[in-house]
Amino acid sequence: MERRTRALGEADQPSSLVMRFGRERPLVLDSGATIEDWQIAYQTYGTLDAKRSNAVLVCHALTGDQHAASRNPVTGKPGWWETMVGPGKPIDTDRYFVICSNVLGGCMGTTGPASTNPATGRVWGLDLPVVTIRDMVRAQAALVDALGIETLFCVAGGSMGGMQVLEWAASYPQRVFCALPIATAARHSSQNIAFHEVGRQAVMADPEWNGGRYLELGTNPKKGLAVARMAAHITYMSEEGLHRKFGRELQNREKIAFGFDADFQVESYLRHQGLTFVDRFDANSYLYVTRAMDYFDLAADAGGRLAQVFRGTATRFCIVSFTSDWLFPTEESKAVVRALNAAGASVSFVEIESDRGHDAFLLDEPEMFATIRGFLSSAAAARGIA
Amino acid sequence: MAVTPLPKDAFGARVDLVAIAELVAPGARVLDVGCGDGDLLKLLEETRGVDGRGIELSQKGVNECVARGLSVIQGNADTDLVDYPDDAFDYVILSQTIQATGHPRQVLEQMLRIGRSAIVSFPNFGHWSVRASLGFLGRMPVTRNLPYSWYDTPNIHFCTIRDFVALCEDVGATIDKAVALNASGARMTLNAPWWFWNLFGQQAVFLLNR
């Protein structure tokens, strides 16, 4: 229970840095709604140079947070992208000033459904307007403004983070020198929306969800959220990777038990993934953030013509996908590459050979590191970063 | 793709790449199909100030290119050229790669659609040494420039200079310039007839227009 208490505390009073915006700087959302008195929690790593030219914005995925390269205050675990971000790492904090913020709708200190609504003094819950990927990027842009940074050297991220990268490049092309979208897509596919819907239904079917008012009522829809996480977790791995890891191995037993306990290691693993998730993540946040991904369709306003979205862009792109990622398959990345080529943009693209599925972007993938290191170094040279 | 070792000039650049670079106008937009580790794109950026892009099949080649600051995508000449819009480039270059493509004719047609001009360089299978190997020894040639045995070669569509000229006619391309290099990498006489080039040219470079 202690972890959950810590997690709930982070929603309003994050142990990271936080930027607060008052009524003079409301956030106008895609839905037409406005959020006044909002905040964005963030971490920084490295030093901003005198010309303010070396800032890298790292965007996190669905259940990530601002602790990309620092110990997580809730779980006590290392940052979620320490393989990528740090001194001497591909996103080298000896050279770059790295910013990572919690997304709008999140539960680690940026305004989200678990935050207190300053207007009422009560938890936002489902009263919070539905947010989009573009709204998340608007919030990040306000933070970047407040930090006095005009142009970001790079915006980088995987999965939902990659959606934010593409949105940044589309919404603020002159503020993004180079863009690094990894294992992502320009729109959420029907299959992916379907998986998210299963997760949301699991949360909302839990009686302890109480129409989203569980924080006020002192209940916790952990069973529903755990099931949502279990289902989602399967989509982050490849069949091959899952089988290599667990096969049909039994969990702490010699033979099958003819019952519904976790006979198989893979069951036990998924249950563990579900259980550890519910302590650190807010169920309503899960609804909001999955919804934001579902609504993402970068070309929607351009009549479906993605190339139109990137017309005239001077941003340099490096797009990365993984062979075994069936959640955001290579074909989705190639659609973005095709559009950027049609727009005459500068684009590099690599498909990394890996059997670790969608999660590969978070793992030790030397080819990915080599590509990103090279791309950033050459872009840094072009921008005059020491 | 299938890059063969070729003589270098006094500055260390491969002579066939220099021959290509001399056909490219300064500041042009260029797509190098099968760009390998990016040597030609780098040469074109440095000597011609081009705005260059590349396509390369191998992960290793793409990584090397990206690390050199080149804009290169992992892809395949046979399948990925269709994704580019008409007139996207001033030049589309296929250097030492046409013989390794699955459908050379389609690749050439796509190049002429995407680019205002196409530049193609290839090893000449009509060279006397190749003919000698086949004619006198009765064996598929394995030479310094064509080092693969027939059963493991990536080069599945060899052609002679005359074959290539015929293909250009078939697809309606006009030959703007043609250069042949002999075994030591020297340019061959400009006004020599095709049969002479076809016999003594080891490499050929063609500049084509629609």
Side-chain angles (χ1 to χ4, degrees), chain A residues 338 346 348-349 351 367 371, chain B residues 59 62-63 71-72 74 83:
Chain A
R338 278 195 288 273
S346 164
S348 294
F349 164 67
E351 182 186 29
E367 291 286 353
T371 303
Chain B
Q59 165 95 62
V62 176
N63 279 354
S71 296
V72 172
Q74 197 164 26
D83 295 334

Side-chain angles (χ1 to χ4, degrees), chain B residues 53-126:
Chain B
R53 304 280 189 272
I55 301 180
E56 168 59 28
L57 197 56
S58 77
Q59 165 95 62
K60 186 169 167 288
V62 176
N63 279 354
E64 283 173 26
C65 289
V66 172
R68 295 171 87 175
L70 300 166
S71 296
V72 172
I73 68 169
Q74 197 164 26
N76 184 322
D78 283 305
T79 54
D80 293 346
L81 294 180
V82 290
D83 295 334
Y84 290 83
D86 294 354
D87 298 319
F89 295 93
D90 297 312
Y91 301 90
V92 180
I93 299 173
L94 194 63
S95 164
Q96 306 289 329
T97 298
I98 194 168
Q99 76 281 357
T101 63
H103 303 279
R105 180 184 171 131
Q106 280 93 317
V107 169
L108 189 60
E109 285 170 340
Q110 288 293 340
M111 291 172 69
L112 288 161
R113 177 186 66 80
I114 300 167
R116 276 172 245 284
S117 300
I119 298 176
V120 182
S121 75
F122 58 91
N124 173 28
F125 212 65

Side-chain angles (χ1 to χ4, degrees), chain A residues 17-238:
Chain A
L17 299 167
V18 61
M19 190 73 76
R20 294 191 166 86
F21 297 89
R23 297 189 165 209
E24 74 291 344
R25 185 68 174 78
L27 200 56
V28 182
L29 307 176
D30 274 346
S31 66
T34 301
I35 306 180
E36 291 176 340
D37 289 322
W38 60 284
Q39 65 182 37
I40 183 164
Y42 66 103
Q43 282 286 19
T44 69
Y45 311 94
T47 313
L48 187 62
D49 65 14
K51 292 182 290 179
R52 297 173 176 267
S53 67
N54 67 335
V56 174
L57 179 68
V58 166
C59 303
H60 69 73
L62 179 62
T63 65
D65 50 43
Q66 65 271 39
H67 303 282
S70 47
R71 190 159 290 280
N72 191 292
V74 175
T75 64
K77 287 183 177 167
W80 57 270
W81 222 10
E82 295 217 359
T83 50
M84 184 70 81
V85 182
K89 302 280 172 64
I91 300 180
D92 187 350
T93 51
D94 289 337
R95 298 183 76 187
Y96 312 126
F97 175 64
V98 176
I99 308 161
C100 184
S101 60
N102 186 213
V103 293
L104 192 66
C107 52
M108 284 292 282
T110 296
T111 298
S115 312
T116 304
N117 178 354
T120 62
R122 293 170 54 205
V123 170
W124 269 107
L126 297 193
D127 291 339
L128 186 78
V130 167
V131 300
T132 64
I133 298 291
R134 182 156 35 179
D135 294 333
M136 293 174 179
V137 167
R138 285 189 178 110
Q140 289 162 350
L143 170 65
V144 171
D145 284 340
L147 294 173
I149 296 162
E150 176 56 36
T151 307
L152 292 163
F153 164 58
C154 180
V155 185
S159 192
M160 185 182 87
M163 290 177 167
Q164 294 161 59
V165 174
L166 293 173
E167 185 63 62
W168 260 98
S171 293
Y172 307 100
Q174 67 283 27
R175 299 189 70 176
V176 183
F177 187 78
C178 68
L180 193 46
I182 306 169
T184 194
R187 63 179 181 188
H188 218 211
S189 72
S190 184
Q191 189 182 44
N192 289 1
I193 295 169
F195 279 122
H196 276 173
E197 175 59 2
V198 170
R200 285 190 295 264
Q201 287 299 333
V203 169
M204 294 189 284
D206 189 326
E208 297 217 8
W209 183 63
N210 277 315
R213 293 176 56 236
Y214 53 89
L215 287 176
E216 290 163 88
L217 296 168
T219 57
N220 182 7
K222 59 185 179 198
K223 284 183 180 160
L225 185 59
V227 170
R229 178 61 167 179
M230 288 167 77
H233 201 83
I234 301 166
T235 69
Y236 304 151
M237 302 173 77
S238 70

